[in-house]
Amino acid sequence: RLLEGARLDDLLTEVPGVQVRRFGGAGERFEISIRGSRPEQVPVFLDGVRLDTSLTGRTDLSTVCLDALEEVQVTRGAGAARSGTGAIGGVVNLVSRRAPAKPETRLRIGGGNFGTVEGSVRHARRQGPWSFSLAYCGFHTDGDFDYQSSRVITDGVPVGTASIETRENNESDRHTFLGRVGRRFGRSELRVTQLTSYLDRGTPGLETDLRSEAGEENLSLLTSVGLEHPLEKLPDGRLDLLLAHRFEGNDFEDPEPRTSASEPIDTETRVHNWTGRSRIDTGFSALSGDHDISWVTEGRFDQRGSNEARSESRAAVALRIESTSSWWQKRLQISPSLRFERIGGFDVERIPGLFV
């Protein structure tokens, strides 16, 4: 269970082997690495849908609201056999809240220094064959604070006195909505998940190069549709289908030229990602143990456009076969797997895996 009122970066710092790299105070961008890996070597998923692309490679976790999640699954160690090329350090899967047996409504609000206010409201319920889980999280901070400026050092000796300066253009606003709707049809279930995140924050720059008007806006939309359907002709057979589309738009502006020869900055970037996946599971009992076999087929297409760079796109396909055998009430589990993956511009990768 997640802690009420905790932030995602605070929670991840408690996980052994996970390092959190923050780019500012509360509400600012942060990334993670696992066991010394780079952030782009730790893919992040929401309900099994990857939040980064093969063209961007990183996920800004500050846009994800912890109150809208049911659990955070962290896998340490190489996970490329299950999650694809690049999962060298580990894998993080964020699980959205599911509707409980009884209706639930929760409201949380808090505040702090520098004009910081944050809160969340969520409601979840089941109604016949329908299930609903809706959550909104908001965050605002003025962010301005006073600090002592650095003194000039000449020949190793501080010169003059340090003045008190004000850190300006540090304001940040974030709005996140995560909704999950499900509908049962007999033994099958159809579910739709929508994640919407909007971020607007200033970019104050460095102490030696203050930027009073620079800022960025980021809009992220993730829509996924999933279907779980039993396969009667296979023992314990089940079919999972998933279709997802993710859009991310980022605008950065700095109207103040840094030098007399430079021009104002106005950069716009748009990223689209389409994902499709099918999975078939079956199982049987033999040799005093239980054995499960799964076949997974995945396809991805990433596209990025910018007003300052040429458009790029990349497609990827993958096939994964995995079996899991367990004995002694699942005290011992052995899972060999093999993944075939082809990403545009690269050769076919054959990635074996063994989990014990």
Side-chain angles (χ1 to χ4, degrees):
R1 277 298 183 184
L2 298 179
L3 300 177
E4 294 291 338
R7 295 197 303 267
L8 181 57
D9 53 340
D10 295 328
L11 186 67
L12 289 171
T13 57
E14 301 297 324
V15 180
V18 176
Q19 296 82 40
V20 177
R21 180 187 181 190
R22 298 180 174 90
F23 292 82
E28 289 298 313
R29 179 169 173 258
F30 74 91
E31 299 172 339
I32 68 170
S33 68
I34 298 179
R35 294 176 174 174
S37 64
R38 298 194 304 272
E40 59 268 25
Q41 295 173 333
V42 182
V44 180
F45 294 78
L46 174 66
D47 292 339
V49 180
R50 194 160 176 163
L51 295 181
D52 67 335
T53 73
S54 60
L55 299 174
T56 57
R58 295 190 179 190
T59 302
D60 180 5
L61 288 169
S62 69
T63 61
V64 181
C65 174
L66 185 60
D67 288 344
L69 303 177
E70 184 165 308
E71 62 179 317
V72 178
Q73 301 169 346
V74 179
T75 302
R76 298 184 295 272
R82 288 181 172 176
S83 303
T85 301
I88 297 174
V91 178
V92 176
N93 184 40
L94 310 176
V95 182
S96 61
R97 288 189 179 271
R98 299 176 176 85
K102 296 182 179 180
E104 176 187 67
T105 301
R106 296 198 178 193
L107 173 66
R108 181 184 66 83
I109 189 169
N113 294 332
F114 314 120
T116 301
V117 179
E118 62 175 328
S120 66
V121 57
R122 69 175 185 263
H123 177 74
R125 66 180 302 130
R126 294 182 181 271
Q127 188 72 38
W130 293 89
S131 61
F132 304 89
S133 179
L134 310 174
Y136 164 80
C137 303
F139 174 88
H140 169 82
T141 181
D142 293 336
D144 297 345
F145 60 90
D146 294 334
Y147 66 96
Q148 189 177 50
S149 63
S150 303
R151 298 173 64 183
V152 178
I153 305 297
T154 302
D155 295 330
V157 179
V159 178
T161 59
S163 60
I164 302 300
E165 305 290 344
T166 301
R167 181 75 159 175
E168 298 179 348
N169 194 28
N170 214 28
E171 183 177 354
S172 178
D173 289 280
R174 184 186 67 229
H175 305 277
T176 301
F177 168 80
L178 179 57
R180 177 172 176 153
V181 179
R183 174 68 158 85
R184 297 198 67 87
F185 300 91
R187 296 176 58 191
S188 303
E189 182 179 9
L190 179 69
R191 62 187 182 277
V192 179
T193 302
Q194 176 66 51
L195 172 66
T196 302
S197 178
Y198 174 74
L199 180 64
D200 182 6
R201 58 188 167 198
T203 306
L206 304 175
E207 180 182 348
T208 56
D209 185 22
L210 298 177
R211 317 306 298 171
S212 59
E213 298 184 34
E216 69 167 321
E217 291 184 72
N218 183 281
L219 175 64
S220 177
L221 304 171
L222 172 63
T223 304
S224 66
V225 180
L227 173 66
E228 295 183 7
H229 179 71
L231 298 177
E232 305 292 347
K233 295 183 179 181
L234 294 176
D236 295 329
R238 188 183 67 176
L239 171 66
D240 287 348
L241 297 176
L242 174 72
L243 291 175
H245 172 255
R246 180 176 179 270
F247 166 80
E248 182 176 353
N250 183 275
D251 298 337
F252 176 79
E253 294 186 19
D254 187 355
E256 302 174 294
R258 295 178 180 269
T259 65
S260 58
S262 62
E263 297 180 356
I265 300 174
D266 186 0
T267 302
E268 298 180 1
T269 304
R270 303 290 183 263
V271 177
H272 290 271
N273 167 256
W274 291 266
T275 301
R277 182 171 67 240
S278 66
R279 173 170 178 161
I280 298 177
D281 293 290
T282 185
F284 60 93
S285 297
L287 302 175
S288 302
D290 297 323
H291 311 276
D292 300 313
I293 301 176
S294 64
W295 295 267
V296 180
T297 304
E298 298 176 315
R300 299 179 64 201
F301 181 75
D302 301 327
Q303 186 177 47
R304 183 184 67 186
S306 173
N307 64 340
E308 293 194 349
R310 64 183 180 87
S311 298
E312 295 185 21
S313 62
R314 179 172 291 166
V317 294
L319 171 65
R320 176 166 62 89
I321 304 173
E322 181 176 27
S323 67
T324 301
S325 300
S326 60
W327 292 271
W328 306 318
Q329 298 179 343
K330 295 187 176 182
R331 290 185 176 91
L332 173 63
Q333 289 185 312
I334 301 177
S335 298
S337 63
L338 180 62
R339 181 185 183 95
F340 297 90
E341 185 173 76
R342 174 66 184 271
I343 300 178
F346 299 90
D347 295 331
V348 175
E349 294 283 346
R350 297 171 180 83
I351 310 172
L354 178 62
F355 302 86
V356 179

